[in-house]
Amino acid sequence: MDNVDNYANLRRPKYGDGKSIIEILSIGFEPLLTKKEYTIYKKIGLIKKKIYYYEKSIKIINSCLLYLDDFETRYHWLLNHLNININKLKKCKDIQKYAENIFRNLLIRNIDTTRKIYDDRCFKNEDQFRKIAIFESDLTRCFGCKDMEYNTDIINVVTYYTEIFESIIHNGFYYNMKHYVFFTAGAGQTRNKKSTFVSEEKLEENFNRLFCGLTKEIINNLGGMNTNKFLAYTSLCQTNSEIWENFNIDKAIVVDDIEYEIPNQIVRYIYTETPEDKNKLFSLQNDLIKIDNEIKIIKLGKRKGVRRNKVEIEHEKELRDRKKRLLHEIEIIKSKYHKPEIKKMSVKIPFTDGFGISLKKTQSAMIRLPFIKGLIAYVPKKAFKNYCYNNNIKINKIQDIYGKYHSIDNIDYIFTKSQFKMYKYYQNILNEHDEVIKTGWEVYKENFKKYNCDACRCNVERKVKLNAKTNYQILQTLTTEMIDDEIKQLASYDIDNLNGIGNDIQSMLNILGANEEKNDNLSYLQKSLLLYPEMLKDFYLRTLIKNTKNSMINKFRSGKFNIEGSYTFVIPDTLACLQWWFTDERNLDKLGFLKENEVCCTLFESGEELDCLRSPHLDHAHCIRNNKNDNDTALWVKSKGVYVGVKDIMSKLLMYDNDGDKLLVHRNKTIINCAKRFQEKYGMIPNYYEMPKASPTELNNTTLYDGIVLAYHHGNIGLPSNEITKIFMTLNPESTEEDVKEAIEIVALRCVDVNFTIDYAKTLYKPTIPKQVLKRYKNYSKKNIPHFFIYAKGKKAYQVEPLGNCNIDRIYNIVHSKRIVFKDLLGKYSYKVLMNDANVDRNSEKAKEIVELYNSINEANKRKLSYINLNTLDIYEKKRVKLQLEFDSNKQRKEFIEYIGESKEYITDVLVKSLQNDINKDTLWKLFGDVIYENIKRNLEGTKICEVCGERFNYSNNKMKYCKKCSYEIQLDLSRKYKNKVKNNT
């Protein structure tokens, strides 16, 4: 029992701190198949295996026939077998088609069936039935999920057959005597055909707490809403979050957003098909069909040799003229689509889109309350009141979106309408005289307290460091400007580290991530290396360095280099927000503490030139701004984020929202200089286009299903994003101005396609792309993906273009590394420093049992990792895999200690001593890294590394830098120099 308690003390998750990890079930469609469906599905699988076998055989026989003459006996024998295999293949394909028709028809007939999960089947792969780890969220807290425990109330479902999804969204399913119902599917889930189902009983218990008393019935009575937006908002409670402590809902209000126009801006206006266009085209095309039918009837009625009268001839002529006019009108409408036009116009800036302010001290963070999401940043109330007092400005009461006025003294939190996603459905309650007796916000607050709802935070700003890396998207936009020498300059820090392997301690520590300035999430191995760098002599660390070197080279070839920058929140000028709300100031020149072309980020010095970028970075926009960081800004800037002024159109250039989006802000001179040269030649013009909103509809399982399935088929952003990379791939420093301008325009159009695709899950709308534009796209899309995708995305050589001249491809021939030769740079390394008891007996029966168990866990972990290629995963999948690995390690540690029945210190000592010469200790550090770290810290207390000889010595004074021997020699040398100086002076 003590050992289990020791394990619990390792992590000590506090209720609501966001760090608990829960295990839930994730299933595919196979466990949901009925017995008859499953039988047919397995038969289809066997047929597919046969088809694969016959296709492979045919391929082999055909290759053999190429080398034989047609008069040889073997040739005819093979030809006979080829024909047999072709006939069998045809027969199998016919059987497959027949079986698939039966299977699909059976799925359709079973749509009204209430399915259940069968967990006793041999599934095609583990993704069909497995346990996955998730971080705690408002949903898991409501359901009472416990840290490091398996919970069956939440099930993740991945369904590729829409008929099965239709069945379970309407009827739910059973598992272990529990009934599960559809809960939600956020935009990210929808893109991957995922959805969340939960225990019906648990949902009924917690529904009001999760959704603050709002139901589908209330929404439908008020006109309904877009289904996929509803799903996006109901999925907010699934976000990994922590409880927002000390939050008081009574001190919060919701106000109108700040929105205004900046006149006379040069934009690339792109006209996209509107819903009105669609309706007009539909009407015109219907008229065209009617006219065509009439003309056909006239043609059929013509009789040979019979002359028609004048009325009939005139009628046909009129029909043909009308057809011509209709075709012309249709062509005019279609010709406007995706047609970029450089023009001067006013640009609307939604300044607080998703942003709110805290007047009470708190960290910048993204907030999650029922149907409320966005970013919140702190501004001192006192600072604003002093500012107004000193400038003789009156502070007015602020009006919320429901018409009620509030004094600044009674407010701690200002949310905006754009943050309160369902504000329309919390309505003012009126008496018989139409007087407001309770505002919509008061209804929300009353429900919030009545149902014990939680205010949560995520992505809380705690440690922000200059540890960013570039990626190929950031660099490819500069391919026409970046010459080889500049690539070398950009890579210099990483190349120095690479070439420092074996002969420079700091370089080796940097490569392993043991750098407190760059890494804000040090592992126990990295922490231990900082305490005891002599570990670099260990076989395991040397092997790790060699493997890391190969990985680094691949990263360089995909455009990943360290730069002095950070991904940090983008925050609107907070003083401007308070002026707008409390003083009614509307003059943009008088709002805020930032002027044109200025930003404020406290990570950098005042006056530094900064480049602000958005990820994903698709367009050529590099927003270069001057950093203002002085005593004036310090009053308002309480975050490490980048603050943007009111007269800046950066949000249109980078296409970000202020609801928690992060910008890469950096000061790398090489990138900034290249971006400046590009902008001097070609400018930097924002894309401007209208994105229509989806119409509201009644919320029910049918409309939710329809919306999700539509999003399944139109939500893939990978294709247009990769097409943009193909465009930049065609450019190089020798490209003509005409080629570059054409590429810029096509990239702009493709960016529009990407943004419509991203938002499709919410808008259910994508514009039609005209044939002439698709033809322009094809000039680039017909090419393979660029060569560097071998390193960026793990592609094969046959899938990519040959090595080209774009700047990412050129890295291959520019960035090189030297052969590793490890020099004796440090003092003696001893594995005993990693131990609590160096005299532990590793030959005892218990010790052998420990090593045997460790080896079995280690082998299982290696098998698991062999199936994972992180290079091919997107950022969300990488996070999921890392979370799963963390969960598995914590679970393994707990079970290890329980099974062995000894203390974690004893187990660790046995393993350190037994594995001292192993070249792979990944599992050891994952399971017991914290124990080793504490041992090192204790064993090395009162010691330092001599700055001259590199040997470790005991110090009595913290200011001591040298061991006794080196200190004596330094003093001797100083004395000798002093005597020579005295002698020379005399």
Side-chain angles (χ1 to χ4, degrees):
M1 192 66 171
D2 290 339
N3 296 322
V4 179
D5 290 340
N6 284 338
Y7 167 73
N9 290 332
L10 166 69
R11 300 186 70 251
R12 291 189 299 277
K14 178 182 172 186
Y15 174 76
D17 68 356
K19 295 178 183 177
S20 293
I21 304 176
I22 296 97
E23 196 170 46
I24 65 169
L25 180 63
S26 177
I27 62 167
F29 64 88
E30 285 183 43
L32 290 165
L33 295 173
T34 65
K35 289 181 179 179
K36 190 172 181 181
E37 289 168 349
Y38 186 66
T39 302
I40 298 170
Y41 175 75
K42 293 296 282 184
K43 284 180 180 177
I44 292 170
L46 292 172
I47 296 165
K48 283 181 177 178
K49 280 184 181 178
K50 286 184 178 181
I51 287 171
Y52 172 78
Y53 168 76
Y54 290 133
E55 285 178 339
K56 193 174 180 182
S57 298
I58 289 166
K59 190 176 179 181
I60 292 168
I61 293 170
N62 276 325
S63 63
C64 291
L65 288 172
L66 290 172
Y67 300 97
L68 296 173
D69 293 322
D70 57 4
F71 57 81
E72 292 184 50
T73 307
R74 182 173 168 77
Y75 177 87
H76 291 285
W77 182 82
L78 281 172
L79 193 62
N80 183 49
H81 272 277
L82 177 65
N83 290 327
I84 291 170
N85 278 306
I86 289 171
N87 290 331
K88 286 182 176 179
L89 176 63
K90 185 180 180 303
K91 188 177 179 182
C92 277
K93 284 188 174 180
D94 289 340
I95 294 170
Q96 180 193 358
K97 190 175 179 181
Y98 177 72
E100 283 180 343
N101 283 335
I102 293 174
F103 179 66
R104 208 86 197 206
N105 288 329
L106 193 56
L107 292 181
I108 293 167
R109 286 204 303 272
N110 288 337
I111 281 172
D112 293 329
T113 301
T114 302
R115 297 175 179 274
K116 72 173 189 175
I117 292 177
Y118 294 88
D119 56 7
D120 55 351
R121 292 172 172 169
C122 296
F123 299 113
K124 194 174 180 181
N125 58 58
E126 69 162 12
D127 285 346
Q128 288 293 323
F129 192 94
R130 61 179 175 142
K131 293 175 182 177
I132 61 168
I134 60 171
F135 270 124
E136 73 170 276
S137 63
D138 197 32
L139 178 64
T140 65
R141 287 189 288 267
C142 282
F143 281 18
C145 302
K146 299 287 197 272
D147 179 48
M148 292 304 299
E149 290 184 6
Y150 174 56
N151 187 281
T152 59
D153 291 320
I154 304 168
I155 297 181
N156 181 65
V157 181
V158 187
T159 44
Y160 291 98
Y161 286 99
T162 55
E163 295 89 349
I164 296 175
F165 183 56
E166 187 175 1
S167 172
I168 61 177
I169 201 172
H170 282 98
N171 311 299
F173 57 81
Y174 282 95
Y175 180 55
N176 288 345
M177 307 299 289
K178 276 188 190 177
H179 187 239
Y180 292 81
V181 293
F182 175 74
F183 179 62
T184 191
Q189 287 180 295
T190 304
R191 289 189 199 108
N192 295 297
K193 296 182 170 62
K194 293 178 182 177
S195 52
T196 302
F197 282 73
V198 296
S199 158
E200 186 174 27
E201 183 183 354
K202 278 287 184 182
L203 183 59
E204 286 175 358
E205 286 175 17
N206 293 278
F207 190 91
N208 284 323
R209 180 180 169 186
L210 287 165
F211 303 133
C212 204
L214 190 62
T215 64
K216 289 180 194 172
E217 289 73 27
I218 293 172
I219 295 168
N220 288 336
N221 287 337
L222 293 169
M225 70 177 294
N226 171 255
T227 54
N228 286 36
K229 279 194 174 184
F230 172 77
L231 292 171
Y233 303 154
T234 53
S235 69
L236 295 177
C237 61
Q238 295 187 114
T239 306
N240 172 222
S241 63
E242 62 182 57
I243 297 291
W244 187 359
E245 293 181 349
N246 303 317
F247 172 78
N248 183 356
I249 189 74
D250 288 322
K251 290 282 190 176
I253 63 169
V254 183
V255 302
D256 279 314
D257 281 277
I258 297 171
E259 191 172 89
Y260 50 85
E261 289 189 347
I262 301 179
N264 301 319
Q265 297 298 308
I266 305 294
V267 301
R268 181 179 285 102
Y269 184 82
I270 300 170
Y271 184 91
T272 56
E273 179 190 39
T274 65
E276 292 75 23
D277 288 339
K278 283 202 170 196
N279 292 335
K280 180 72 172 172
L281 279 174
F282 183 75
S283 174
L284 292 172
Q285 283 162 348
N286 276 344
D287 289 345
L288 195 62
I289 291 166
K290 288 175 186 175
I291 289 170
D292 278 335
N293 287 336
E294 281 194 60
I295 292 172
K296 281 178 187 175
I297 291 168
I298 289 170
K299 280 184 178 179
L300 290 170
K302 285 181 182 178
R303 287 176 291 173
K304 203 169 183 181
V306 177
R307 190 172 182 179
R308 294 184 298 156
N309 62 42
K310 191 176 180 181
V311 174
E312 288 175 331
I313 294 168
E314 284 296 324
H315 180 57
E316 183 181 357
K317 184 177 182 301
E318 186 187 344
L319 286 173
R320 292 191 181 279
D321 287 342
R322 279 175 60 197
K323 179 179 178 179
K324 194 174 179 181
R325 286 196 301 272
L326 284 171
L327 288 169
H328 182 63
E329 202 171 342
I330 290 169
E331 188 57 36
I332 286 173
I333 293 173
K334 287 186 174 181
S335 67
K336 295 188 294 183
Y337 299 164
H338 268 52
K339 193 172 183 180
E341 177 189 357
I342 306 297
K343 61 190 291 188
K344 187 179 279 190
M345 61 183 288
S346 293
V347 174
K348 187 181 285 184
I349 303 293
F351 194 60
T352 56
D353 188 13
F355 177 71
I357 278 178
S358 172
L359 297 170
K360 182 179 178 181
K361 191 171 184 179
T362 187
Q363 300 118 314
S364 294
M366 294 173 71
I367 56 168
R368 293 287 188 273
L369 286 75
F371 302 120
I372 294 178
K373 67 161 285 195
L375 176 68
I376 197 159
Y378 166 58
V379 187
K381 188 186 296 187
K382 187 177 179 182
F384 180 66
K385 291 173 80 171
N386 288 342
Y387 167 83
C388 292
Y389 177 80
N390 293 334
N391 291 279
N392 198 26
I393 299 170
K394 182 186 176 184
I395 298 177
N396 303 319
K397 286 190 174 183
I398 187 171
Q399 187 181 27
D400 70 21
I401 59 173
Y402 295 99
K404 188 172 180 177
Y405 285 88
H406 306 264
S407 165
I408 191 172
D409 295 317
N410 299 327
I411 302 166
D412 283 342
Y413 310 101
I414 303 172
F415 300 146
T416 50
K417 187 192 281 187
S418 57
Q419 292 183 309
F420 191 16
K421 302 302 180 182
M422 306 293 271
Y423 68 89
K424 293 178 185 175
Y425 306 100
Y426 291 92
Q427 297 206 322
N428 290 346
I429 296 175
L430 310 175
N431 62 18
E432 65 268 20
H433 304 297
D434 288 338
E435 296 168 332
V436 177
I437 55 174
K438 192 183 290 182
T439 67
W441 180 241
E442 286 168 339
V443 172
Y444 180 89
K445 290 195 296 181
E446 190 176 277
N447 287 350
F448 189 90
K449 290 180 283 189
K450 178 181 175 182
Y451 299 120
N452 295 314
C453 300
D454 285 324
C456 310
R457 305 188 303 173
C458 54
N459 291 328
V460 181
E461 183 186 85
R462 291 193 171 96
K463 297 176 183 176
V464 183
K465 296 185 177 181
L466 297 178
N467 58 359
K469 285 182 169 62
T470 60
N471 57 47
Y472 72 82
Q473 287 183 327
I474 289 167
L475 299 181
Q476 71 183 3
T477 58
L478 304 172
T479 194
T480 60
E481 308 305 316
M482 192 170 277
I483 60 174
D484 291 0
D485 284 343
E486 285 172 316
I487 294 175
K488 288 177 185 175
Q489 289 169 20
L490 180 62
S492 59
Y493 172 84
D494 294 288
I495 296 303
D496 288 346
N497 280 328
L498 201 63
N499 292 332
I501 295 175
N503 56 59
D504 181 75
I505 297 165
Q506 190 57 53
S507 292
M508 289 187 280
L509 292 175
N510 289 343
I511 280 168
L512 293 173
N515 185 329
E516 287 180 299
E517 291 181 6
K518 296 278 186 183
N519 190 348
D520 53 13
N521 190 25
L522 292 165
S523 67
Y524 281 112
L525 174 60
Q526 291 161 340
K527 289 179 182 178
S528 300
L529 275 167
L530 291 173
L531 284 178
Y532 192 38
E534 291 95 328
M535 279 203 306
L536 290 168
K537 292 186 172 184
D538 184 37
F539 293 127
Y540 165 62
L541 269 302
R542 292 198 169 189
T543 305
L544 192 60
I545 287 170
K546 288 176 182 176
N547 293 339
T548 304
K549 175 198 170 188
N550 296 331
S551 173
M552 281 177 68
I553 291 171
N554 281 346
K555 285 178 179 176
F556 297 160
R557 289 173 179 171
S558 68
K560 289 185 178 178
F561 298 109
N562 280 284
I563 54 172
E564 286 189 305
S566 181
Y567 285 92
T568 190
F569 287 131
V570 56
I571 301 172
D573 186 317
T574 46
L575 173 59
C577 294
L578 295 180
Q579 287 174 286
W580 185 285
W581 287 324
F582 287 101
T583 72
D584 296 329
E585 181 62 73
R586 296 295 182 266
N587 185 338
L588 299 186
D589 291 322
K590 294 181 180 180
L591 285 171
F593 58 85
L594 292 169
K595 304 306 176 190
E596 286 187 72
N597 294 315
E598 287 183 343
V599 294
C600 178
C601 185
T602 58
L603 296 168
F604 305 94
E605 295 297 321
S606 195
E608 282 193 280
E609 223 171 19
L610 304 180
D611 184 13
C612 303
L613 301 160
R614 176 86 173 99
S615 185
H617 179 79
L618 302 177
D619 207 342
H620 61 280
H622 285 251
C623 294
I624 299 163
R625 302 290 187 267
N626 293 316
N627 192 40
K628 184 182 181 184
N629 180 14
D630 54 28
N631 292 334
D632 292 337
T633 61
L635 286 170
W636 317 109
V637 175
K638 304 300 177 183
S639 164
K640 298 293 184 185
V642 56
Y643 290 74
V644 179
V646 289
K647 293 187 76 173
D648 203 321
I649 62 165
M650 193 192 295
S651 61
K652 293 300 175 188
L653 284 159
L654 300 182
M655 298 304 293
Y656 65 76
D657 297 325
N658 289 314
D659 63 355
D661 285 358
K662 291 187 175 184
L663 299 186
L664 169 58
V665 185
H666 72 89
R667 60 183 171 202
N668 185 276
K669 294 295 181 188
T670 303
I671 294 175
I672 289 172
N673 289 337
C674 289
K676 278 183 170 180
R677 291 202 300 269
F678 184 92
Q679 289 166 18
E680 283 169 10
K681 294 176 186 175
Y682 306 107
M684 186 173 59
I685 303 172
N687 298 332
Y688 202 80
Y689 52 91
E690 302 294 335
M691 187 172 282
K693 295 180 180 179
S695 301
T697 186
E698 181 183 338
L699 295 178
N700 55 53
N701 286 338
T702 300
T703 57
L704 291 173
Y705 166 78
D706 291 340
I708 290 170
V709 171
L710 271 173
Y712 279 177
H713 301 303
H714 300 277
N716 181 13
I717 65 167
L719 180 62
S721 178
N722 284 346
E723 296 300 306
I724 289 171
T725 299
K726 289 181 183 182
I727 297 166
F728 285 116
M729 172 189 75
T730 64
L731 302 177
N732 60 67
E734 307 303 318
S735 295
T736 65
E737 185 177 339
E738 185 182 351
D739 287 341
V740 177
K741 286 183 175 179
E742 171 68 4
I744 289 172
E745 193 166 285
I746 299 299
V747 166
L749 294 174
R750 286 312 246 159
C751 285
V752 173
D753 299 339
V754 169
N755 289 324
F756 270 100
T757 303
I758 290 171
D759 280 2
Y760 187 87
K762 292 179 185 175
T763 63
L764 300 180
Y765 175 80
K766 278 171 85 173
T768 301
I769 303 173
K771 288 180 181 177
Q772 67 270 20
V773 175
L774 290 172
K775 191 175 179 182
R776 292 174 74 188
Y777 285 178
K778 200 170 182 182
N779 292 331
Y780 303 97
S781 61
K782 64 186 178 184
K783 298 178 182 293
N784 287 328
I785 50 180
H787 189 84
F788 66 82
F789 268 37
I790 291 174
Y791 315 107
K793 298 196 176 181
K795 298 298 181 182
K796 303 296 182 187
Y798 68 84
Q799 296 174 298
V800 301
E801 289 286 317
L803 198 65
N805 288 322
C806 69
N807 57 1
I808 314 296
D809 275 359
R810 282 185 283 128
I811 293 169
Y812 184 91
N813 293 318
I814 294 170
V815 175
H816 302 286
S817 68
K818 299 174 183 176
R819 181 172 166 269
I820 297 177
V821 178
F822 287 102
K823 295 182 179 178
D824 193 12
L825 301 171
L826 290 161
K828 185 182 175 184
Y829 162 69
S830 172
Y831 69 87
K832 294 179 181 179
V833 175
L834 280 60
M835 299 174 67
N836 180 52
D837 178 10
N839 297 316
V840 69
D841 182 6
R842 65 175 178 179
N843 295 314
S844 69
E845 289 303 313
K846 181 60 77 172
K848 289 177 182 176
E849 187 182 1
I850 289 169
V851 174
E852 184 180 351
L853 179 57
Y854 172 85
N855 287 336
S856 65
I857 291 172
N858 190 41
E859 285 303 313
N861 288 346
K862 283 195 286 186
R863 281 196 301 274
K864 192 180 294 180
L865 286 170
S866 68
Y867 295 106
I868 300 170
N869 182 0
L870 288 175
N871 288 331
T872 62
L873 303 178
D874 63 28
I875 188 168
Y876 302 106
E877 283 297 302
K878 283 179 184 176
K879 284 182 180 177
R880 186 192 63 76
V881 167
K882 287 175 181 177
L883 174 62
Q884 189 66 52
L885 293 173
E886 182 185 348
F887 180 88
D888 291 345
S889 296
N890 292 335
K891 191 174 179 182
Q892 286 168 357
R893 173 191 170 109
K894 179 182 178 182
E895 291 174 351
F896 201 124
I897 293 170
E898 286 178 346
Y899 181 82
I900 295 299
E902 295 285 349
S903 71
K904 63 189 180 196
E905 289 80 13
Y906 173 74
I907 294 170
T908 304
D909 285 344
V910 168
L911 291 174
V912 169
K913 197 166 190 175
S914 303
L915 304 173
Q916 58 182 287
N917 295 320
D918 273 30
I919 60 170
N920 186 343
K921 299 176 189 172
D922 289 350
T923 301
L924 172 63
W925 280 96
K926 283 174 183 172
L927 297 185
F928 300 104
D930 64 311
V931 183
I932 297 172
Y933 172 70
E934 290 300 327
N935 289 341
I936 293 171
K937 195 158 68 169
R938 185 181 59 255
N939 290 332
L940 295 183
E941 192 173 359
T943 69
K944 279 186 178 181
I945 292 176
C946 175
E947 291 184 8
V948 175
C949 67
E951 293 288 339
R952 189 168 289 276
F953 69 96
N954 292 307
Y955 67 88
S956 54
N957 184 337
N958 199 36
K959 293 181 180 179
M960 292 174 66
K961 296 180 180 179
Y962 316 110
C963 64
K964 285 184 180 179
K965 182 181 176 184
C966 292
S967 184
Y968 174 75
E969 288 179 356
I970 288 168
Q971 289 297 325
L972 197 65
D973 187 52
L974 287 172
S975 177
R976 194 162 41 242
K977 286 178 180 177
Y978 177 75
K979 286 178 182 178
N980 288 335
K981 185 178 180 182
V982 171
K983 185 178 178 182
N984 290 335
N985 287 338
T986 56

